[in-house]
Amino acid sequence: MDDPLAQPTSSQNSDPHSGQATAERYREFARLGQGGQADQLSFKLVVGLLRRGFPLLVPVKKPIIWLIVGWTLLLGLGFWPGILVVQAFSNGVLNAAPLSEAQALLLFLPPEPFVGVEHLSAELRTELVSQMVLVVTGFLFFALVCFLGLEYLLIYILQTINQNLRVDMFDRLQSLSLRFHSEQRVGDSIYRMFQDSAMVTRLIELAFLSPLRHLAVFLYSLGIVCIWDPWMALVLAFGWPAVLVVSYLLSRALRGGFRAARETNSGLTAQIQEVLEGIKVIKAYSAEAREQARFEEASWTAFDAARVGRNRFVVYKLLVFQMVGLLAIAATGWGVWLTMNGEDLFASDLVVALGFAAVNSGRWDLGFLTNFRMRFDDGTTSIKETMNLWGKLQDVAIGLDRAFEVLDLEPEVEDAEGAAEMPPLREGIVYRDLSFRYEPDRPVLRGVSLEVPAGCITAVIGPTGSGKSTLVSMLLRLYDPDEGCIEVDGRDIREFTTESLRSQVAIALQENALFGTSVRENIRYAVPGATDQQVTEAARVAGAHEFIEALEHGYDTELGERGIKLSSGQRQRISIARAVLKDTPILILDEPTASLDAVTELKVLDNLGRWGEGRVILLITHRLSTIRLADQVAVIQAGQLVELGRHAELMQLPGGKYRSLVETEADLLTEAAARA
Amino acid sequence: MTGSFGSDDRQMTNREVLRSFVRALRYIGPFRNRFLVKFGFLFIGFIAMLFLPFPLRILIDQVILDIPFAEQASRFPTFVQPFVALLEGASRGEILVAVLIAQASLLVLVGAWGISGKEKTEANGGLNNGWDIATKTENEANSGFSEIGGVLGWLDFRWTIKTTQLLNHHYRSQLFSRIQALPMTAFDDERIGDAVYRLMYDTTAIANTCYKILFTPVAAPIHILMIVAVMSETYGSNTPMVYAGLGMLLVAGTLTFPASILIRRFASRSRTTGATTTSSIEEGMSNMVVVQSLGGEKREHARFSRDSEASFRQFRYRQLAIYAAILAGVAAGSFLVIFFFRYVSEGIIEGRFSPGDYAVLASYFGVIAGSSIDIGTIWIDLQTEATGLQRVSELLDAPAETDRPDAITLPRIQRGVAVEAVDFAYEPGTPTLRGISFEAKVGEVTAFVGPAGAGKTTAVHLIPRFHVPDSGSVRVDGVDIAGVAMNTLREQIAFVFQETVLFDTTIEQNIRMGRPEASETEIRHAARIAGADEFIARLPEGYQTRLGHAGGKLSVGQRQRLSIARALVREAPILILDEPTSALDPETEQRLTEALREASRDRVVIVIAHRLSTVRDADQILFMEEGRIIEKGNHAELIRNPSGAYRHFVELQTRGVA
């Protein structure tokens, strides 16, 4: 507490563009998946998301226009013959009434015996049935093919949107600084990419495309019902707002339920993953029973949440259906009543003109009733479907704010405007009064100043967690400093493009990440064009050549997920080879030899020493044998540079940190040597 | 390693499929009462469906066409007659009102009023947010459905979802406990994802199969029979129509086989490309440091974009295959529909049926045809579940670490551990350990030294029985551990692994895992010895800091210290440390070495180390090479041999420092 640097200064807090503020946002972001946002998602937000989603349609506007044209044509074409055929069947076949001219025309029947007679004979009715079967089947098949074609087009559109989104998100995630990635689980990022991009796509479907389709059906239906009976059209039109009110009232509960279900489920998956990753420890500590209990509890929590959410959804759907159903029953009753009394249709002239009925017969009958019922049902169904869409939209909206948030995140480390290519390093690197913290109250580096000239190996040593790794990471601009700067040949590295900076740095890390490709590809990762010979050469320097050759397929051996089949020492050497191959003026080795046995280590370091002449080499290590190689030693403690100098100089400092570190080790060694 | 529960993507034979179904039926056992009730709901739905078309028939025949009940060509079935009796003698207006009331009641009760599927709703709680497997299986894991809607449908839904969840929970828990009991050789990182998949996604196949196996083959024929019975009562026999309906079974049965082969081929390609996409991004994300530091962003972008596009394309091909199958099915089925249509139309023309009967017959034909299609496709339908079922069964059957029935409780260890002539191979033919023997006594520190890959880690894994020797034995106080209850053995061992494993709980809870009943003072004490107390104190939340996934932002050394603290707090008589100090600074290491010496007074301490400083003071040093122990003795003894491997090792480390 008495260390002023441990407290965030107020200026940093108030500056929204500082690293601190960004870090705060990242953490905010990390929390998003964990709930608390559901209740803030309002109707307005959903509308806002729609506005956000709209630009995604632009790249596919052409296919979308085709889709809309297709739907309209298919629907329009479907209605007219549909009504005619139902009419012909209900009246002609069932009731022996004559056909209208239009009906006869559509069914490819001669008008002569079918139109204008009093009653159709049994033979004519049978003939009508045969003809109808042929025409209707043909038409339906044609319509089905068109429909499937449009479905395919829809899928294509949605996939294209999804692909664009995924790639955008992938790029965005790649450009975010490591500070972001250290806040996130890998699985979370991946889940987000796949799930959220799918969800945005789904939103587009639910919010833009499907409603269009339902709206079209609704309008067509409404128009036709209006011809039959405008009062019923009015009822149908007012069914909408009634259902909308119910939806609006229930939508918050729906969202909350969905969100809880999603969270508990992903929590459960994470928990299982963790247990399996740590199974060794669980077994070693006989913690199986405890983990079992924890699992069962989490499992039920997830199930309970899912049940609550789904129950709400079902109740919502059933309620909407009840309302819509009552409307439809009432409309049927009204239609039957009119038919019973033989009332005229509202626009009977129009009906006749469209060929739905023979002349002078624009009156309610079985055929018109059937058509009325069918169109009214179409209308109510589209209301129901739209409301189901609303319900689904609630489900989708939960993940959406997150999805867009990824796209909105500004990379913390970004090239400054007019950033230049970094010229090849000549003189060296200077750390100037560098401070950095991951979290406001946890400073990692405090005012470090250090000169690292070219042609010189600098060893960075210090206790675990003192900030050594962070110090070298900053040279790569994996993070930007909160205060101070790093200069290369006298210029702040933030003046250069990140790409040109990183192209001059090679790094071998403490934790060795390998890719699921061959050994050769792994070594070649930084220099895709490297020849096989260069790869072998780099492997030799890294002391990896011998064991690679001994592998069954040599350099072509495939490495499993995260290179699991190799020992950590072998992985370490491959990542050293990768760094060596990059052949850059700056080489960073972060505990490069921690997992190597003494013989191998010595060999690798020897090689590196020879190879590294004329380069800036930064070496993080614990081992004295490694430190010995260095031209200067920087001792870091609790984020501060406490000692700097050559091995011999530092040994002279009485009570020096370095000296005491060396003595601890050397005592033991000299003693061992003496005994030998 | 082939692994003990790996299954490749090969096709199952029909026999295997059948066997897995029989097995699935056994899984229902504990839940049979719940399933019986579900059957009850199902039959209520059937009866409602039988009743449903009659109000409409009355509307058409009696209200609109004004045919008196008495003159109707066909009769009413028994269960509709009470309703008809009410209406007899009523005016058309009254009948209309009565029918509307009946329809409204049906709507409230079972959520249906008309005759077709369109005028009916089902209480189905499936969510809908993407095409990904996670959502799909989440829907399956919480599958609640009902054939009906309304109040009854809602009750049915609630009952079903609870049943599904109980079943899933039951088998997930079983599977989880089984996974925990698998021998450690079953796990490498690749298998973890697979196991999660089995646990979370494949288990849902059990409930799904149970529903499908029970309901379609049993319930669908009953439904058909009920309809045939009602029809023969109402219309006499209508055999041609029934045959036409049943003909759907034939159409569905013959078409689904070729179609499903086609679709399955495309689906499997689609899955493969999907998996490629996932793993390519997973790699990129996990290795973000490497990607960013080596400038691999563009390459990762291209790779991801290509893989993702390919997976979408495969999905579209699959979709096209499905469309082709739909068209073929519709084409074949339309003949049967045409037959039905003509049959009924002719009946009406001939006066055998009234226009209202059309509603009834169409509805019934729909049910017969639909149920027939269900039966015809059941085998194919179940196939998709079979793979999941088998993957679950495989895991349930995998050989687990179990105690022998006569396993004894191991008393607190007094003397020590003895390994006698143990051979061990992960894979047959490439032995990892060859005839190793050693003794580690209470009161001594035993150190393993040797080059990487010599088998040191495998050797110490024998002691907690992580590996069972192929030959030879491991004895604790003279008792062969093969005959000891595993819990009582592992309770007495504290293990620090080479790769640290921490859990996403607080620091305190992570340490406490060593001994759940440890007091706070004991935890702090252990942390101090492990050199962790200092950095923990610097954290804003101290011991209550939550670590995040796999230790999150702690450095490797900090994580290592926590795992050492966890072992120390256990106070077990055997303490095994696998390279505990590789990432520690000399100061911490020094402290730890002293602590180990201290601890070894009443314990067996076994340590694997590279550093001389850790090894030097050991009472016994075992030098391993290529699976053998080639030198044994204390530092002074071993160093005396001028050509010894250990001496060589020491010389390399000390060269030039002194």
Side-chain angles (χ1 to χ4, degrees), chain A residues 40-58:
Chain A
Q40 292 160 32
L41 269 170
S42 61
F43 184 79
K44 239 202 253 157
L45 183 61
V46 173
V47 173
L49 287 171
L50 298 190
R51 221 182 47 228
R52 223 16 256 277
F54 192 74
L56 297 168
L57 295 175
V58 174

PDB file of all heavy atoms in Angstrom, chain A residues 40-58:
ATOM      1  N   GLN A  40     -31.033  -5.994 -19.384  1.00  0.00           N
ATOM      2  CA  GLN A  40     -30.812  -4.720 -20.051  1.00  0.00           C
ATOM      3  C   GLN A  40     -31.160  -4.782 -21.541  1.00  0.00           C
ATOM      4  O   GLN A  40     -31.154  -3.791 -22.225  1.00  0.00           O
ATOM      5  CB  GLN A  40     -29.351  -4.303 -19.896  1.00  0.00           C
ATOM      6  CG  GLN A  40     -29.020  -3.963 -18.458  1.00  0.00           C
ATOM      7  CD  GLN A  40     -27.541  -4.023 -18.201  1.00  0.00           C
ATOM      8  OE1 GLN A  40     -26.745  -3.746 -19.078  1.00  0.00           O
ATOM      9  NE2 GLN A  40     -27.166  -4.394 -16.996  1.00  0.00           N
ATOM     10  N   LEU A  41     -31.393  -6.011 -22.002  1.00  0.00           N
ATOM     11  CA  LEU A  41     -31.742  -6.159 -23.411  1.00  0.00           C
ATOM     12  C   LEU A  41     -33.189  -5.742 -23.612  1.00  0.00           C
ATOM     13  O   LEU A  41     -34.107  -6.444 -23.242  1.00  0.00           O
ATOM     14  CB  LEU A  41     -31.609  -7.620 -23.812  1.00  0.00           C
ATOM     15  CG  LEU A  41     -30.278  -8.064 -24.357  1.00  0.00           C
ATOM     16  CD1 LEU A  41     -30.275  -9.567 -24.454  1.00  0.00           C
ATOM     17  CD2 LEU A  41     -30.040  -7.463 -25.708  1.00  0.00           C
ATOM     18  N   SER A  42     -33.391  -4.609 -24.174  1.00  0.00           N
ATOM     19  CA  SER A  42     -34.754  -4.140 -24.318  1.00  0.00           C
ATOM     20  C   SER A  42     -35.188  -4.281 -25.763  1.00  0.00           C
ATOM     21  O   SER A  42     -34.428  -4.663 -26.636  1.00  0.00           O
ATOM     22  CB  SER A  42     -34.834  -2.677 -23.904  1.00  0.00           C
ATOM     23  OG  SER A  42     -33.995  -1.933 -24.750  1.00  0.00           O
ATOM     24  N   PHE A  43     -36.434  -3.948 -25.982  1.00  0.00           N
ATOM     25  CA  PHE A  43     -36.984  -3.934 -27.316  1.00  0.00           C
ATOM     26  C   PHE A  43     -36.114  -3.068 -28.225  1.00  0.00           C
ATOM     27  O   PHE A  43     -35.783  -3.425 -29.336  1.00  0.00           O
ATOM     28  CB  PHE A  43     -38.402  -3.378 -27.237  1.00  0.00           C
ATOM     29  CG  PHE A  43     -39.126  -3.408 -28.548  1.00  0.00           C
ATOM     30  CD1 PHE A  43     -39.700  -4.580 -29.015  1.00  0.00           C
ATOM     31  CD2 PHE A  43     -39.246  -2.260 -29.309  1.00  0.00           C
ATOM     32  CE1 PHE A  43     -40.368  -4.608 -30.210  1.00  0.00           C
ATOM     33  CE2 PHE A  43     -39.911  -2.283 -30.515  1.00  0.00           C
ATOM     34  CZ  PHE A  43     -40.472  -3.461 -30.973  1.00  0.00           C
ATOM     35  N   LYS A  44     -35.690  -1.945 -27.640  1.00  0.00           N
ATOM     36  CA  LYS A  44     -34.886  -1.002 -28.403  1.00  0.00           C
ATOM     37  C   LYS A  44     -33.583  -1.635 -28.864  1.00  0.00           C
ATOM     38  O   LYS A  44     -33.141  -1.439 -29.981  1.00  0.00           O
ATOM     39  CB  LYS A  44     -34.570   0.212 -27.521  1.00  0.00           C
ATOM     40  CG  LYS A  44     -35.083   1.522 -28.102  1.00  0.00           C
ATOM     41  CD  LYS A  44     -34.308   2.673 -27.505  1.00  0.00           C
ATOM     42  CE  LYS A  44     -35.098   3.467 -26.517  1.00  0.00           C
ATOM     43  NZ  LYS A  44     -34.467   4.232 -25.527  1.00  0.00           N
ATOM     44  N   LEU A  45     -33.026  -2.405 -27.950  1.00  0.00           N
ATOM     45  CA  LEU A  45     -31.754  -3.025 -28.285  1.00  0.00           C
ATOM     46  C   LEU A  45     -31.924  -3.992 -29.446  1.00  0.00           C
ATOM     47  O   LEU A  45     -31.105  -4.043 -30.362  1.00  0.00           O
ATOM     48  CB  LEU A  45     -31.193  -3.751 -27.071  1.00  0.00           C
ATOM     49  CG  LEU A  45     -29.810  -4.370 -27.304  1.00  0.00           C
ATOM     50  CD1 LEU A  45     -28.796  -3.310 -27.655  1.00  0.00           C
ATOM     51  CD2 LEU A  45     -29.375  -5.141 -26.080  1.00  0.00           C
ATOM     52  N   VAL A  46     -33.015  -4.739 -29.400  1.00  0.00           N
ATOM     53  CA  VAL A  46     -33.267  -5.691 -30.481  1.00  0.00           C
ATOM     54  C   VAL A  46     -33.379  -4.940 -31.800  1.00  0.00           C
ATOM     55  O   VAL A  46     -32.789  -5.334 -32.809  1.00  0.00           O
ATOM     56  CB  VAL A  46     -34.539  -6.517 -30.204  1.00  0.00           C
ATOM     57  CG1 VAL A  46     -34.884  -7.385 -31.399  1.00  0.00           C
ATOM     58  CG2 VAL A  46     -34.336  -7.380 -28.969  1.00  0.00           C
ATOM     59  N   VAL A  47     -34.104  -3.832 -31.759  1.00  0.00           N
ATOM     60  CA  VAL A  47     -34.230  -3.033 -32.979  1.00  0.00           C
ATOM     61  C   VAL A  47     -32.864  -2.518 -33.411  1.00  0.00           C
ATOM     62  O   VAL A  47     -32.508  -2.531 -34.591  1.00  0.00           O
ATOM     63  CB  VAL A  47     -35.213  -1.860 -32.752  1.00  0.00           C
ATOM     64  CG1 VAL A  47     -35.212  -0.932 -33.965  1.00  0.00           C
ATOM     65  CG2 VAL A  47     -36.606  -2.394 -32.501  1.00  0.00           C
ATOM     66  N   GLY A  48     -32.080  -2.097 -32.436  1.00  0.00           N
ATOM     67  CA  GLY A  48     -30.731  -1.620 -32.726  1.00  0.00           C
ATOM     68  C   GLY A  48     -29.896  -2.701 -33.396  1.00  0.00           C
ATOM     69  O   GLY A  48     -29.136  -2.430 -34.325  1.00  0.00           O
ATOM     70  N   LEU A  49     -30.059  -3.923 -32.915  1.00  0.00           N
ATOM     71  CA  LEU A  49     -29.310  -5.029 -33.494  1.00  0.00           C
ATOM     72  C   LEU A  49     -29.722  -5.252 -34.944  1.00  0.00           C
ATOM     73  O   LEU A  49     -28.903  -5.583 -35.795  1.00  0.00           O
ATOM     74  CB  LEU A  49     -29.542  -6.306 -32.684  1.00  0.00           C
ATOM     75  CG  LEU A  49     -28.855  -6.342 -31.321  1.00  0.00           C
ATOM     76  CD1 LEU A  49     -29.311  -7.527 -30.510  1.00  0.00           C
ATOM     77  CD2 LEU A  49     -27.348  -6.374 -31.491  1.00  0.00           C
ATOM     78  N   LEU A  50     -31.008  -5.075 -35.196  1.00  0.00           N
ATOM     79  CA  LEU A  50     -31.477  -5.208 -36.566  1.00  0.00           C
ATOM     80  C   LEU A  50     -30.781  -4.188 -37.454  1.00  0.00           C
ATOM     81  O   LEU A  50     -30.327  -4.487 -38.551  1.00  0.00           O
ATOM     82  CB  LEU A  50     -32.995  -4.997 -36.649  1.00  0.00           C
ATOM     83  CG  LEU A  50     -33.858  -5.986 -35.890  1.00  0.00           C
ATOM     84  CD1 LEU A  50     -35.319  -5.788 -36.263  1.00  0.00           C
ATOM     85  CD2 LEU A  50     -33.437  -7.403 -36.200  1.00  0.00           C
ATOM     86  N   ARG A  51     -30.672  -2.970 -36.914  1.00  0.00           N
ATOM     87  CA  ARG A  51     -30.021  -1.929 -37.690  1.00  0.00           C
ATOM     88  C   ARG A  51     -28.558  -2.316 -37.933  1.00  0.00           C
ATOM     89  O   ARG A  51     -27.999  -2.087 -38.984  1.00  0.00           O
ATOM     90  CB  ARG A  51     -30.105  -0.615 -36.933  1.00  0.00           C
ATOM     91  CG  ARG A  51     -30.419   0.558 -37.847  1.00  0.00           C
ATOM     92  CD  ARG A  51     -30.446   1.859 -37.083  1.00  0.00           C
ATOM     93  NE  ARG A  51     -29.334   2.028 -36.215  1.00  0.00           N
ATOM     94  CZ  ARG A  51     -29.416   2.407 -34.934  1.00  0.00           C
ATOM     95  NH1 ARG A  51     -30.587   2.668 -34.406  1.00  0.00           N
ATOM     96  NH2 ARG A  51     -28.356   2.536 -34.186  1.00  0.00           N
ATOM     97  N   ARG A  52     -27.976  -2.898 -36.902  1.00  0.00           N
ATOM     98  CA  ARG A  52     -26.593  -3.338 -36.992  1.00  0.00           C
ATOM     99  C   ARG A  52     -26.422  -4.439 -38.038  1.00  0.00           C
ATOM    100  O   ARG A  52     -25.423  -4.533 -38.729  1.00  0.00           O
ATOM    101  CB  ARG A  52     -26.234  -3.899 -35.625  1.00  0.00           C
ATOM    102  CG  ARG A  52     -24.938  -3.621 -34.913  1.00  0.00           C
ATOM    103  CD  ARG A  52     -24.146  -2.524 -35.387  1.00  0.00           C
ATOM    104  NE  ARG A  52     -23.005  -3.037 -36.145  1.00  0.00           N
ATOM    105  CZ  ARG A  52     -21.891  -3.445 -35.606  1.00  0.00           C
ATOM    106  NH1 ARG A  52     -21.711  -3.377 -34.320  1.00  0.00           N
ATOM    107  NH2 ARG A  52     -20.921  -3.921 -36.331  1.00  0.00           N
ATOM    108  N   GLY A  53     -27.437  -5.312 -38.085  1.00  0.00           N
ATOM    109  CA  GLY A  53     -27.324  -6.464 -38.975  1.00  0.00           C
ATOM    110  C   GLY A  53     -27.535  -6.108 -40.433  1.00  0.00           C
ATOM    111  O   GLY A  53     -27.063  -6.801 -41.319  1.00  0.00           O
ATOM    112  N   PHE A  54     -28.222  -4.997 -40.668  1.00  0.00           N
ATOM    113  CA  PHE A  54     -28.607  -4.674 -42.037  1.00  0.00           C
ATOM    114  C   PHE A  54     -27.426  -4.592 -43.015  1.00  0.00           C
ATOM    115  O   PHE A  54     -27.492  -5.150 -44.117  1.00  0.00           O
ATOM    116  CB  PHE A  54     -29.426  -3.382 -42.061  1.00  0.00           C
ATOM    117  CG  PHE A  54     -30.083  -3.146 -43.381  1.00  0.00           C
ATOM    118  CD1 PHE A  54     -31.184  -3.898 -43.772  1.00  0.00           C
ATOM    119  CD2 PHE A  54     -29.578  -2.195 -44.252  1.00  0.00           C
ATOM    120  CE1 PHE A  54     -31.766  -3.709 -44.995  1.00  0.00           C
ATOM    121  CE2 PHE A  54     -30.159  -2.003 -45.484  1.00  0.00           C
ATOM    122  CZ  PHE A  54     -31.259  -2.765 -45.860  1.00  0.00           C
ATOM    123  N   PRO A  55     -26.315  -3.929 -42.626  1.00  0.00           N
ATOM    124  CA  PRO A  55     -25.200  -3.811 -43.580  1.00  0.00           C
ATOM    125  C   PRO A  55     -24.681  -5.168 -44.055  1.00  0.00           C
ATOM    126  O   PRO A  55     -24.089  -5.256 -45.134  1.00  0.00           O
ATOM    127  CB  PRO A  55     -24.122  -3.086 -42.772  1.00  0.00           C
ATOM    128  CG  PRO A  55     -24.845  -2.398 -41.688  1.00  0.00           C
ATOM    129  CD  PRO A  55     -26.056  -3.200 -41.384  1.00  0.00           C
ATOM    130  N   LEU A  56     -24.902  -6.203 -43.260  1.00  0.00           N
ATOM    131  CA  LEU A  56     -24.400  -7.515 -43.653  1.00  0.00           C
ATOM    132  C   LEU A  56     -25.114  -8.030 -44.901  1.00  0.00           C
ATOM    133  O   LEU A  56     -24.640  -8.935 -45.576  1.00  0.00           O
ATOM    134  CB  LEU A  56     -24.594  -8.512 -42.501  1.00  0.00           C
ATOM    135  CG  LEU A  56     -23.818  -8.175 -41.240  1.00  0.00           C
ATOM    136  CD1 LEU A  56     -24.289  -9.017 -40.077  1.00  0.00           C
ATOM    137  CD2 LEU A  56     -22.338  -8.391 -41.469  1.00  0.00           C
ATOM    138  N   LEU A  57     -26.294  -7.446 -45.161  1.00  0.00           N
ATOM    139  CA  LEU A  57     -27.059  -7.902 -46.318  1.00  0.00           C
ATOM    140  C   LEU A  57     -26.497  -7.335 -47.613  1.00  0.00           C
ATOM    141  O   LEU A  57     -26.715  -7.873 -48.686  1.00  0.00           O
ATOM    142  CB  LEU A  57     -28.519  -7.458 -46.189  1.00  0.00           C
ATOM    143  CG  LEU A  57     -29.303  -8.067 -45.035  1.00  0.00           C
ATOM    144  CD1 LEU A  57     -30.678  -7.446 -44.961  1.00  0.00           C
ATOM    145  CD2 LEU A  57     -29.420  -9.563 -45.224  1.00  0.00           C
ATOM    146  N   VAL A  58     -25.773  -6.230 -47.491  1.00  0.00           N
ATOM    147  CA  VAL A  58     -25.358  -5.520 -48.695  1.00  0.00           C
ATOM    148  C   VAL A  58     -24.561  -6.393 -49.676  1.00  0.00           C
ATOM    149  O   VAL A  58     -24.866  -6.410 -50.870  1.00  0.00           O
ATOM    150  CB  VAL A  58     -24.587  -4.235 -48.311  1.00  0.00           C
ATOM    151  CG1 VAL A  58     -24.027  -3.555 -49.538  1.00  0.00           C
ATOM    152  CG2 VAL A  58     -25.515  -3.304 -47.532  1.00  0.00           C
TER     153      VAL A  58
END
